[in-house]
Amino acid sequence: MQQEDQHLERWTVLCVDAPPLSPLSLVTDPGSDMFGSESSLSLFLNTLTPKFYVALTGTSSLISGLILIFEWWYFRKYGTSFIEQVSVSHLRPLLGGVDHSSPNSSSSSDGDTDSSRQTVSECKVWRNPLNLFRGAEYNRYTWVTGREPLTYYDMNLSAQDHQTFFTCDSDHLRPADAIMQKAWRERNPQARITAAHEALDLEDCATAYILLAEEEATTIVEAEKLFKQALKIGESCYRRSQQLQHHGAQYEAQHRRDTNVLVYIKRRLAMCSRKLGRTREAVKMMRDLMKEFPLLSMFNIHENLLESLLELQNYADVQAVLAKYDDISLPKSATICYTAALLKARAVSDKFSPEAASRRGLSTAEMNAVEAIHRAVEFNPHVPKYLLEMKSLILPPEHILKRGDSEAIAYTFFHLQHWKRVEGALNLLHCTWEGTFRMIPYPLEKGHLFYPYPVCTETADRELLPTVFHEVSVYPKKELPFFILFTAGLCSFTAMLALLTHQFPELMGVFAKAFLSTLFAPLSFIMEKVESILPSSLWHQLTRI
């Protein structure tokens, strides 16, 4: 005990009489006896008590925790990291870089901003305007692959549509219509086809020909022949019911049914012409149909017209159709938004270069194109992966969910060729589409130009799409920035060190000394080499300066 007291007194005198030491003096004072020696470094480290290590790690943990809390709050409010924002906005321009990923951070004064106030109830399923023919296209896929391209839910919705469009309460008065009323409710495809033939055995029936054209015909040519037969009967029924429509509720219902049948037949005939390569004929039929029945918007014939005009590369007429239907009072669709983006991208995509844009910035036309792409991606964020062929396509379903994966598949299935035809359009989309998610407020459901993204789309898409061989696309979630992840890791690490240092101060002191010794070892080695090369007098004069 007496020896320990003597040792403590000697150590106290040494600490009091000796000049104060600092890590800097150990490095910069070559004249000192302690420079470059392991004993001097260990002597300095021995002066640090365990309380110092506890205070150091605790303070570091506190500071990193405060930074993490601020970064998280800023990210929740503005959707980006504060450190990243400062580095991109202030440091990068000083270094000569230009951020072109988000060319216009301010909200564009588009008419769709008013729609962000709209309250969206449940996800509404729409009939696909470009749905394929079951017999000539969907069944052919089943014969080749052995897979069912349509889900039961999708086909059940189609059965409900057929009952709504093609039947009325007075069908029991006509034997053929009574048979077809039961046929539309049949689940077995062969039973429906058999019932249609039974109805035709009794009398000519337009809806029976429709069913056979949709489900029994194995080619588009056969389907077109059956639709032409249905057209003759449908037109006569329409003219007859048109004369009697004001004679009572029963005749009014018949006229509404006959109108639906006639519009459906003409629309499908136009689609047959489009599939058989007679695109100009299809465009004329669609225009005439839209003029004759302007109020029947439930079939969305203008989307068929847009696709046909794009095939003809008649971009002026495409712009005219968009000017009429891309209106705030009308519901949007992927066809409307992405076609508008394609037209604006077409003006600049052939000469667009990401490197040139980063050097000189975006021109006005390029800015408009990028904004149009951002608008389209915000409406339906699933489309770009299909257009860029990052995700494989499947046959589109008969029903789609707007802003969902089903709509993205239906749009890309028919419009991918139009994007490929425009030089550089896909390159511009590839360079800019992900910037959309940096512009949308966080959480992503708040929206930017459109009403909030529906949270039920994933569930509905899983019902509409065959999940057996297709992975349903989920709305892209905004990933946490690197600086938040780094700060979280740093905070966790320093908090763990503080806890361990508080519990085991002596052991952590040993580890800290070993770490610092290892850290300063290369620097000490370099300084020794420098001292051995340079004359001592010169080195002494330099250190004094």
Side-chain angles (χ1 to χ4, degrees), residues 336-498:
I336 294 292
C337 295
Y338 278 90
T339 302
L342 176 61
L343 291 186
K344 292 188 177 180
R346 176 175 169 267
V348 298
S349 59
D350 57 337
K351 300 178 181 178
F352 178 78
S353 171
E355 294 78 12
S358 64
R359 290 193 304 268
R360 60 172 170 78
L362 294 175
S363 64
T364 303
E366 290 173 339
M367 190 88 68
N368 293 334
V370 172
E371 287 178 356
I373 290 176
H374 285 175
R375 172 178 178 258
V377 174
E378 182 182 347
F379 181 83
N380 193 319
H382 310 289
V383 173
K385 285 191 175 182
Y386 292 108
L387 286 178
L388 298 173
E389 298 183 83
M390 301 166 62
K391 192 174 172 67
S392 23
L393 271 174
I394 62 173
L395 292 184
E398 292 185 336
H399 289 79
I400 60 174
L401 184 68
K402 288 194 174 181
R403 309 186 73 178
D405 190 24
S406 51
E407 185 191 33
I409 292 173
Y411 170 79
T412 311
F413 189 85
F414 293 97
H415 288 263
L416 176 59
Q417 57 181 335
H418 306 317
W419 280 81
K420 287 185 175 181
R421 189 179 293 121
V422 177
E423 183 182 358
L426 290 176
N427 177 48
L428 179 61
L429 177 68
H430 174 73
C431 296
T432 58
W433 75 277
E434 290 180 315
T436 306
F437 306 111
R438 289 190 288 272
M439 299 175 61
I440 300 177
Y442 188 87
L444 295 177
E445 290 76 11
K446 289 182 179 180
H448 180 63
L449 297 174
F450 293 98
Y451 52 82
Y453 188 84
V455 296
C456 56
T457 51
E458 181 182 350
T459 304
D461 279 333
R462 293 188 185 280
E463 296 289 337
L464 290 172
L465 299 174
T467 55
V468 177
F469 57 90
H470 173 72
E471 183 181 356
V472 175
S473 179
V474 182
Y475 189 83
K477 301 297 182 183
K478 183 174 286 189
E479 298 180 356
L480 290 176
F482 166 77
F483 288 105
I484 287 185
L485 298 176
F486 175 77
T487 309
L490 180 63
C491 178
S492 303
F493 179 72
T494 54
M496 181 184 66
L497 285 182

Side-chain angles (χ1 to χ4, degrees), residues 207-220:
T207 55
Y209 281 117
I210 289 176
L211 192 148
L212 295 178
E214 290 285 352
E215 301 193 26
E216 188 182 42
T218 56
T219 63
I220 301 298

